[in-house]
Structure formats: C-alpha cells, structure tokens
Amino acid sequence: MREPILEINNLSVSFFTRHGEIPAVMDFSMTVHAGEAMGLVGESGCGKSTVALAIMRYLGGNGRITEGSIRFRGREMTEMTGAELRELRGSQISMIYQEPMASLNPAMRVGLQLMEVPLSHEYISIEEAKQRSLEMLEAVRLPDPERIFQSYPHQISGGQQQRIVIAMALLSQPTLLLLDEPTTALDVTVEAGIVELVRDLGREFGTSMLFVSHNLGLILETCDRITVMYSGEAVESGQIKNVFRKMLHPYTQGLLRSIPLPGTDKTAQPLIPIPGQLPLPHERPQGCNFGPRCNHFQSGKCNVKKIPMISVNDSEHFSRCLRVSEIDWNAVPESSVQAEKMEMGNTILAVHNLSKHYDVSANALFASSKSGTVKANENISFEAKKGEIVAIVGESGCGKSTLAKILLGLEEASQGNAEFEGVDLAYSPVERRSVKTVAHLQIVFQNPFDTLNPSHTIGNQIMRALEKFGVGQSPDNRREQMLELLDLVKLPREFERRIPRQLSGGQKQRVGIARAFAGKPSLVVADEPVSALDVSVQAAITELLTDIQLKEKTTLLFISHDLSMVRYLADRVIVMYLGRIVEQGSADEIFSPPYHPYTEALLSAVPIADPDIVKEHIILEGDIPSALNPPSGCPFHTRCHRKIEGLCDYEIPPLKHLSSGHDISCHLADEDLNSMAPVFRSGKKAAA
C-alpha cells in the first residue's frame, strides 16, 4: 500500500451568514495516495470546490470546518497555525484555478511571477530562480521560453496562460497538486494538450493530484480513482475503470446518461436527463439527499435515517445507497424512448462566398507601426434546410461568432451573400430589418445570466418580446401566449412573477429559449447554448431544444466546440479554421473517415467517458495563427500532423467533393484520405 499523502475523514464544512449556518460539505472522507490522481466530480453547488478550499484552508471569514480531520503526510491541517499553513501552501501543496488570469498579476511580467515561487520558498539566488523558471517553461511545452518569460499575461493566449499557472504550481515540486476545473474555459484542442501535460508532469515529478471537474471524460483520461459528490456528500468512490464500468449509485449513473457518448443519437438513443434540481442546503431531504430525484427511491427505507458509505463486495468500491444490492444496474430507464426523425424541407438559408474583413489601423495595434486586414471570414458557403440542425464547430478565433453576427445583423459582410426568406442578410443591419425578419431569425445565447434584465419579471420579459414581434392583439392575449411559452419550455406558470435571480442557470436558459421562440422563428442561432451549464442540465436543455425544434419545424444553427454534443444533435456539420470552412458534410460523414486533418485532431481531443472506447492520440502543437497575418498556403499547415512539405506551405488546398454534400479542403491524395483509421473504436475485443 502506497503512503497516504492526503487523508480526509468525516469532514464537515459550513458557512455562517446572518441567516444562520449553511452546511456545504457533510461527512466527507477521501484518501489520496503517493503519486495517485484522484478525480472529484459532481454538479455545481455539490461541494467540490469547497473541499479543495478546505484543504488549502481558504474558506474566507465565514467558512469553518465544523467536524472531521484533514491530514497531509500525517500532519493534522485543521490545527495548523497561519505560519505553518503559509509554509505548506505553494511549496508542498499547490492549487491551479479555473481562470488563469485570476492567478496572474496583469502588471508583472511572466518571468518575475514565476521567479517569486522559488524565491519565496527556498534560499536560492535570482539567477538560479530565473534558470529554473525558464526550464519549467520548457517543461510545460511553451514555445520560445525567453520571449514568454519577458511577456505580460495579456500578450499570450488563454492556453499559454494556463500553462504558466501550471508552471508556477510545479516550480516548487509540490507533493500535492489541487486542480479546480483547470480546463473549463479552454478549447477542446488546448484542453487535450493541458490534460496530457498535467498527466505527464505528475508522473515525472511523482506529484499526487486532486482533479476537480464536472467532465467525466476528462476524469477518466486523467485519474486513477474517482469520488462522486452530490449535495455536499460523497456518494460513490472507487477505482476509475471499476466505477465507469459498473456505477453503483443512481446519481453517478444519471450523470453518465446525461452525456452524449459515441453511439448515442437524438432519435435512436436520446439522453436521459436527471429529473429535478440539486436541493438548496437548507432544503435537503431526510435520509438520502438524492431521493427526490431518484428512480429507485423507496419510501420507508431511503428517507428514514442518514445513509453511510457502504463497501461493495468488500472491495475499494463504495456507494452511499441502501439499495445497492437490490437494483438492476443494467436496466435502461423507461424514459429512454426513440424520438421521431424529422423530414428536411427546402433550403431556408443559403450562404455563398461570404467574407468579413476588418481593416486595422496602425494605432490600434498596441503602438505597432503596421496596419493590415483581419480576414475573420473568407469565402464561406453552405446551406441549411427547413427543420435541419446544422452545427458550426472550431476553436476560438475560427470565425464562428463573426458569421453569427453577420446573420443576426450585428455586422455587415465585406462580400458574398446570405439569402434568408427573400432577404440578403449579408448587408442588412438589424436596425433596417423588418419585424418579421427579426422575429423569424432569433438567437439563444451562451450565457443565460447576462441575457435577462435583472429588474423585470420573467413574464414581462417574454411579453415584451411578443409585443416587439407584433404577436398578440392585446395585453391579455400576449399574457396567455407567454404562459403557453412557459409551458413549451417546461417551466411552471407561476415563474411569470419571478425575477432572474430567483432562477437557476438551467431555468434562465429555458427563459432565453422561450423568448427566442416567441416570434415563431424559422431559424434559431444557438451560440454555445449549453456550455455554461452542468451536464445534467445540459441534457435537459438539449432535450428541450430538440423537442421544440421538432414541434415547430425550426432550423437550428448550432455553434459549439463540444464535438460530443455536436455528434448527438447535428444533422450536418461545418468545420471552420482561421475563418475558412475546411470540411462540411453530414454528421455521419464528418465523424467517420476520411477526415480533414483538423477535424481528425478535433475528434481526438474530445474526452470520452467510456473506458471501452480507444481513441487515436493527436495533440495539436501551437495556437491558431493570427488572422491579421495568416500563414501562406493551407491555413492549417503550421499545426498539421499530416503536412506535405513544399506543398501545404505555399498553395491553398483544392476543394475535394468526396460525396454529395461532403467537401474537404486539403492537399492529401485521395488514397491517403481513404486509408485513414477511425478516431474512435471499441476496445472491448482488443482487451479480450
């Protein structure tokens, strides 16, 4: 048995407010051994980050450990003085936060911030601290360490900022590394590189890790063991593959069924959202906290007394479920029914050779003497049919949002056209569009928190949209239609009197969807509509969107970087890179070979929460080049793992029509494209 680095026993943490005590974590136990990576997963508000902050003793003025023990290498941390804690933090225990800029000083060069770590914790010279910092920049695979050492944080990309934070955390070679959602704000390709980096550096330095995340696929690829939390309690724990192959708590199983895995489909195998919501701390039920949302709840047994963690078959697999031996864990819930497949209609949106260029003056370039043109979109062409879900995917900076702004009238195109119901959207700003065009072309935004007026009731905000779109003959008629819209998005009618702060994130997004569908739109642009939500809420919102889309026969333009969700939802997929379309086709064609090399890399970067799926391992090096100074030839050649020297560098690739509607812009020969192996394949036979 390896040495326990971190031992948490029966930990309880509460926050004390003027309204009384709010218990955030209760009876939580966990052990992390030397060199081990432990994953901590659960919905927002379940207590994951509170556990990490309790380990660091960063609970603020009103947070307090009320019970239990936290032992680090045998030392009781709850009894340590402030000086003893300061000696541990940053040297033996380090923490990486979700937002890298929250950990970086914008007024200090990167090098000085790195040097602070060894200078604060060790007796070394400035020269030695600089040398170690440069070596760590190389270890985290940053290009040109000398340049980055002299840069300010705002002068480097988000992925590079996160690598800097990782370098700072590892400079003192800590024994324990805490990672709190370190990749949530990053593109899937950058996330894949960061995850590989953390895993490799953990092995190299022998660092134990506690990886806090809501992404089950990420935890599977990164960790050795897993602990699942719900409403302040650990509900299941065990070896990572044992838990994923046989989940023994209804909540863990519910999380997995909320995630689109390879093979799931919106019609043949729809997602199964967890019913209800996470209870508020002062509204937790008697007995099992998960009882009100559980399909296996049994009154008189599950709601009688506090439920302990139970060892399953005397193994290291534990579950907080009294019915663990009674439930058929392989049974599929009755709610898993096949949905109707929609028949596509005529073309409703036709985009031809659309380009958007921005002229940038010298003064705008941070005192640079150069001016130039940013080619945000270049020769974009595609069509969307009535009732079709068309997904647009790519990394940040690829031009997805610029294209959406043109369609919505927030930007004007530089050339090309976009025909929609007899209107050329390319040169039609929103203020010059008719009420009918605005009503028929709507958007669901990424962040539901910023799209609602905090001072107005939900009912008034939906009724205002109805009034603007000319729907309804009178206030009473509009109110009735508003209530019908609340029914449509499955919100109680009494929510008309609530204001946004009284709603959860998922409920706010439902209001945003109701408002978007108020004018009976023909086309809805969904801009990352579920990326800010928990996986269980994502499944519910996705189910809602597809239900409404099917009922209203609406075309959906789904902008996302989540390839798993795209595979589940989309009928057709458009892949963009540096302002250009590099591949487009049906979902089946995009997710099976032949691929554009960029599509292949995007698919390889998707974390899959299934231990029996084997993936091709492709990590893209570097960042997307600047749209102000794009590379010559193929825009992807600077990062391409299949680059043809002397050709891709200089010539723009031709458009290959592989089949009806499946196009790839690539120099690769047809035989090379046709010989590509699938990115995903089942590993069951290989394991056998």
Side-chain angles (χ1 to χ4, degrees), residues 266 339-349 384-390 420-421 440 488 517 519-524 544-557 571:
K266 66 184 177 187
E340 178 186 348
K341 191 172 181 66
M342 184 184 293
E343 292 295 326
M344 305 303 168
N346 296 325
T347 298
I348 194 170
L349 173 69
K385 293 181 170 61
K386 183 174 179 62
E388 187 176 31
I389 299 181
V390 179
F420 172 73
E421 295 186 344
H440 284 198
L488 183 69
F517 280 86
K520 302 288 183 183
S522 307
L523 175 65
V524 171
L544 174 68
L545 263 178
T546 51
D547 284 350
I548 297 175
Q549 188 250 352
L550 183 66
K551 180 180 178 181
E552 304 292 331
K553 304 292 189 265
T554 308
T555 302
L556 201 62
L557 203 60
D571 302 302

Side-chain angles (χ1 to χ4, degrees), residues 378-452:
E378 189 72 0
N379 296 325
I380 302 294
S381 297
F382 69 93
E383 294 183 349
K385 293 181 170 61
K386 183 174 179 62
E388 187 176 31
I389 299 181
V390 179
I392 302 178
V393 301
E395 296 169 286
S396 300
C398 73
K400 306 188 300 290
S401 295
T402 300
L403 175 60
K405 287 177 182 177
I406 294 171
L407 297 179
L408 292 162
L410 304 177
E411 297 278 4
E412 285 192 55
S414 302
Q415 65 182 47
N417 54 71
E419 296 292 335
F420 172 73
E421 295 186 344
V423 177
D424 188 354
L425 302 176
Y427 310 101
S428 174
V430 67
E431 60 269 18
R432 295 211 302 262
R433 294 182 181 179
S434 67
V435 172
K436 178 184 175 183
T437 300
V438 173
H440 284 198
L441 176 55
Q442 282 292 299
I443 183 169
V444 177
F445 293 95
Q446 175 177 356
N447 194 339
F449 308 96
D450 296 334
T451 57
L452 299 175

Side-chain angles (χ1 to χ4, degrees), residues 4 59 95 114 139 152 190 228 236 246 272 300-301 314 341 445 454 483 519-520 533 550 567 590 613 631:
L59 292 172
M95 189 164 183
L114 287 165
Y152 288 95
V190 181
V228 182
E236 186 167 2
K246 189 167 185 181
I272 306 171
K301 183 171 186 176
D314 297 322
K341 191 172 181 66
F445 293 95
L483 293 173
K520 302 288 183 183
L533 306 173
L550 183 66
R567 180 66 185 95
I590 295 295
I613 294 292

